Amino acid sequence: MSKKVDYIIIGQGLAGSAVALHLLNMGKRMVVFDAYFKNSASQIAAGLFNPITGKNMVKTWLADEMFTYLHEFYPMVEVLTNRKFFFPQPIYHPFSSVKEQNEWMARSSDPGVKDYIAEISTHSQLNGIKDDFGGVMIAKGGYIDTKKYLAGVRSLLLEKEALVEELFIEEDLQPSSDRVEYRGYEAEGIIFCTGTQSLENKWFGWVPIISLKGETLTVKGGGFGNHVVNRGVYIVPQGDSVYNVGATYQFRDTTPAISNSAKEELIEKLKMVVDFDFEIVGQDWGMRPTTHDRRVVIGSHPKFDRLVFFNGLGTKGVSISPYFAKVLAEWLEDKKQLNKEVDINRYKFVN
């Protein structure tokens, strides 16, 4: 006899965890199928959330909505899981020139940006950082300890008997017009939150998810306290003068291993930001699921509407996952309309 639930979720990374938490909050019954994968993007991520990003330091798309919500979401999950993993704090961006300093002074009056500026300085702020021209403290940023967050959600799901720690076997899924059945479970729908593994999925392999490899370093030495610094590379404190440094963006390299080229790139960029000696104590890699338009993908299969897709979080999964998991849950349960920019229907279905 099948065990009935409302939803089956495949994957317990940043996407799957956020979806599970929102559906639990709605009182829904679910089961999550997940086999731990060390090099998932979620497991190696530094956990940075930053509203002002990119080479041109522009405000993230939907920053007002996403950053307001994540500052509510993660503290709530800390209470639910009884774990501390959320560290909101300004992110320091050192200036490289007087020109950049002046540009930021001008931008500080921009109504769309000023709320994200905690402070602008015209002189050095942090020992150990090359910031002769000062820098800007970006407000509403910070980081989460992704491993503690995911482990906390995992424990919560286990406690609720809502997690099965095994690989998803797609041949065992039986979808129909009114339900899905999978390995002894019957549900209203199944939600795929599988990152780059979706490329091999028989139902959603047509969605053009791109594997974006990222590598990070763990370094020790010198230091500048518990500040988060972001210029060319991010530098996130881990305690005891240990920092997580990243990340590379490698579209063509899909080799499942660390590389010397990435290591050299990160060392070179780090030396441009810090003025203390450091040693490398670790290097890691992971594959991020992204899209050509850098927008998350949400929606159901064109022929099997009980099969649902949530993917494409890219490099901003910590920022994106809470808000868009909420969007997904409300779309499923309250039938709220999806933003066309994230709707799966922006892609052509290939059978």
Side-chain angles (χ1 to χ4, degrees):
M1 184 176 177
S2 297
K3 183 176 180 180
K4 292 189 177 183
V5 294
D6 295 303
Y7 295 100
I8 297 168
I9 299 172
I10 308 300
Q12 194 246 316
L14 292 173
S17 293
V19 171
L21 289 165
H22 280 86
L23 291 174
L24 281 173
N25 192 47
M26 288 179 162
K28 297 300 168 180
R29 299 165 300 164
M30 77 189 65
V31 60
V32 179
F33 282 82
D34 181 83
Y36 175 81
F37 177 46
K38 176 183 178 295
N39 291 102
S40 69
S42 301
Q43 289 294 335
I44 74 143
L48 196 66
F49 53 93
N50 185 358
I52 307 292
T53 61
K55 289 183 179 179
N56 297 321
M57 293 293 288
V58 296
K59 188 167 82 169
T60 296
W61 177 66
L62 291 182
D64 295 346
E65 293 86 348
M66 289 196 299
F67 282 80
T68 297
Y69 188 65
L70 75 81
H71 281 274
E72 300 172 5
F73 175 79
Y74 287 120
M76 176 197 72
V77 183
E78 283 187 325
V79 173
L80 280 175
T81 61
N82 195 29
R83 301 195 186 204
K84 176 64 181 173
F85 56 78
F86 181 58
F87 302 96
Q89 64 185 79
I91 297 172
Y92 187 55
H93 173 77
F95 297 142
S96 61
S97 64
V98 172
K99 179 176 180 290
E100 185 179 12
Q101 181 190 100
N102 290 334
E103 287 172 349
W104 271 98
M105 294 295 284
R107 292 178 73 184
S108 65
S109 60
D110 182 340
V113 176
K114 66 179 182 180
D115 288 344
Y116 295 94
I117 298 176
E119 180 184 357
I120 295 178
S121 59
T122 57
H123 56 275
S124 180
Q125 291 293 296
L126 298 181
N127 291 328
I129 294 296
K130 296 177 180 178
D131 63 342
D132 292 344
F133 301 100
V136 57
M137 287 285 188
I138 305 296
K140 302 184 182 180
Y143 67 98
I144 70 168
D145 185 322
T146 54
K147 289 184 178 180
K148 286 184 179 178
Y149 164 62
L150 295 173
V153 176
R154 201 172 192 85
S155 293
L156 180 66
L157 293 171
L158 285 169
E159 179 185 314
K160 294 180 177 294
E161 298 182 342
L163 178 70
V164 178
E165 297 182 292
E166 63 181 44
L167 282 170
F168 170 71
I169 307 300
E170 61 182 28
E171 289 80 10
D172 293 345
L173 176 62
Q174 300 175 43
S176 65
S177 60
D178 62 345
R179 66 184 184 276
V180 297
E181 294 182 29
Y182 180 73
R183 295 208 162 187
Y185 287 89
E186 182 180 312
E188 292 181 16
I190 184 168
I191 307 167
F192 290 93
C193 305
T194 55
T196 58
Q197 295 175 44
S198 70
L199 294 167
E200 306 300 322
N201 185 292
K202 66 184 280 188
W203 291 283
F204 290 104
W206 54 274
V207 182
I209 295 297
I210 303 167
S211 292
L212 174 58
K213 184 180 179 182
E215 296 190 48
T216 62
L217 296 179
T218 304
V219 305
K220 182 177 178 63
F224 42 86
N226 287 321
H227 297 280
V228 177
V229 176
N230 186 27
R231 180 176 184 88
V233 291
Y234 59 68
I235 310 169
V236 179
Q238 305 296 303
D240 298 324
S241 297
V242 175
Y243 298 87
N244 193 322
V245 178
T248 58
Y249 302 87
Q250 298 150 267
F251 285 99
R252 294 181 179 86
D253 182 4
T254 56
T255 306
I258 59 174
S259 66
N260 281 329
S261 60
K263 178 180 177 180
E264 291 169 3
E265 176 187 337
L266 292 172
I267 289 173
E268 181 180 350
K269 288 182 176 180
L270 182 59
K271 286 181 175 178
M272 294 175 68
V273 181
V274 304
D275 63 2
F276 57 81
D277 294 330
F278 56 86
E279 63 174 317
I280 297 167
V281 295
Q283 183 175 354
D284 218 334
W285 66 276
M287 294 293 183
R288 318 176 187 97
T290 189
T291 59
H292 289 288
D293 59 8
R294 303 293 188 273
R295 298 288 185 261
V296 68
V297 186
I298 299 174
S300 57
H301 190 279
K303 293 186 175 181
F304 301 97
D305 62 5
R306 300 287 171 171
L307 308 185
V308 177
F309 194 70
F310 182 36
N311 210 320
L313 275 63
T315 62
K316 299 177 181 179
V318 168
S319 307
I320 289 174
S321 56
Y323 178 77
F324 280 107
K326 177 175 178 285
V327 167
L328 170 60
E330 291 176 346
W331 169 70
L332 287 170
E333 287 298 311
D334 302 332
K335 309 305 178 188
K336 289 191 176 181
Q337 191 169 356
L338 288 175
N339 182 321
K340 289 182 179 180
E341 289 189 77
V342 303
D343 195 322
I344 196 172
N345 290 318
R346 71 187 190 270
Y347 297 116
K348 183 178 180 181
F349 171 58
V350 179
N351 196 351

